[in-house]
Amino acid sequence: SAVISQKPSRDICQRGTSLTIQCQVDSQVTMMFWYRQQPGQSLTLIATANQGSEATYESGFVIDKFPISRPNLTFSTLTVSNMSPEDSSIYLCSVVEKGIHYGYTFGSGTRLTVV
Amino acid sequence: QQPVQSPQAVILREGEDAVINCSSSKALYSVHWYRQKHGEAPVFLMILLKGGEQKGHEKISASFNEKKQQSSLYLTASQLSYSGTYFCGTAKAAGNKLTFGGGTRVLVKP
């Protein structure tokens, strides 16, 4: 399965600032997903990042707040903009390789604390 | 719409069995099961496609009832390493986004 390098692993940020999270995959993947996980909660999909086109955002998430880049088939970034304490969470990227029998692989996550 | 998982939590003694259920109100293409240990990323266990198949991973198996849009995960002869939070994820098409259930916390005690 694909191996994902996600950076940073954690950060503490001041409110009003922005943080960019990077995900690098060791193989080419068509679909990349960005999830948010509040402590002790389930995973909520933020957006689907497709190479060569704009990301598709889920209800409740907007591009101005969570801009996403997908310059090629192995890399994506998620920016959390104008942060507030409510943005404190774990952010995970996920990929699925070609083939319907493959599961989704997750990055190790970015633990964000906004103070 | 988020699939519904039950129970929310279960405590087992080593060697005991447990069943975790996942129900969806919408037609599904596939159901995925993941296990997440504290402070770690979710790890893929298995995928079940529509057709009512059953799969296994070590002593963990699962089934998918397409008619009922329900999947069950069976933990057999549980081991300490089975502790963690189990999530089902559902997809409406191949390679499509996953929608996760609320999770089931499993604690296996010696």
Side-chain angles (χ1 to χ4, degrees):
Chain A
S1 60
V3 176
I4 302 174
S5 174
Q6 183 172 344
K7 297 177 180 178
S9 59
R10 59 178 62 228
D11 207 340
I12 300 174
C13 300
Q14 296 291 324
R15 67 174 67 201
T17 62
S18 298
L19 176 71
T20 296
I21 302 167
Q22 300 180 0
C23 267
Q24 178 74 52
V25 190
D26 68 344
S27 60
Q28 293 186 339
V29 292
T30 304
M31 307 285 280
M32 291 185 75
F33 307 92
W34 287 96
Y35 285 88
R36 183 171 72 181
Q37 186 175 31
Q38 307 278 6
Q41 302 297 315
S42 183
L43 297 97
T44 301
L45 181 65
I46 298 172
T48 301
N50 302 311
Q51 193 267 337
S53 63
E54 279 196 4
T56 304
Y57 290 83
E58 297 300 304
S59 176
F61 298 95
V62 295
I63 187 171
D64 290 344
K65 177 67 175 178
F66 297 101
I68 288 171
S69 77
R70 182 82 198 274
N72 55 53
L73 292 175
T74 64
F75 187 78
S76 178
T77 66
L78 169 76
T79 298
V80 186
S81 303
N82 189 24
M83 289 184 286
S84 66
E86 291 70 37
D87 295 320
S88 296
S89 190
I90 299 171
Y91 293 84
L92 301 112
C93 63
S94 175
V95 303
V96 58
E97 298 174 82
K98 287 185 178 180
I100 60 175
H101 298 290
Y102 287 102
Y104 292 57
T105 302
F106 285 85
S108 53
T110 296
R111 184 179 294 271
L112 171 62
T113 302
V114 184
V115 297
Chain B
Q1 196 167 0
Q2 185 181 42
V4 178
Q5 274 186 247
S6 63
Q8 289 186 322
V10 60
I11 299 176
L12 302 166
R13 290 288 178 187
E14 213 173 352
E16 292 182 340
D17 303 339
V19 180
I20 301 170
N21 298 303
C22 175
S23 298
S24 174
S25 59
K26 299 196 172 185
L28 301 175
Y29 175 80
S30 63
V31 179
H32 299 224
W33 286 97
Y34 293 79
R35 178 171 62 208
Q36 184 177 33
K37 293 186 179 286
H38 183 69
E40 299 179 7
V43 173
F44 171 70
L45 293 176
M46 65 191 76
I47 179 174
L48 299 105
L49 307 177
K50 63 179 181 179
E53 65 176 87
Q54 190 158 351
K55 281 199 169 181
H57 174 80
E58 299 175 346
K59 291 185 178 179
I60 300 174
S61 61
S63 61
F64 178 26
N65 186 320
E66 184 183 350
K67 288 184 179 179
K68 294 184 177 180
Q69 299 302 314
Q70 290 179 351
S71 179
S72 295
L73 186 73
Y74 307 93
L75 307 181
T76 305
S78 58
Q79 305 170 13
L80 297 177
S81 61
Y82 287 4
S83 292
T85 302
Y86 290 77
F87 292 99
C88 67
T90 58
K92 292 190 285 187
N96 205 356
K97 61 183 180 182
L98 286 182
T99 302
F100 286 92
T104 298
R105 295 189 179 187
V106 173
L107 175 61
V108 181
K109 293 184 174 182

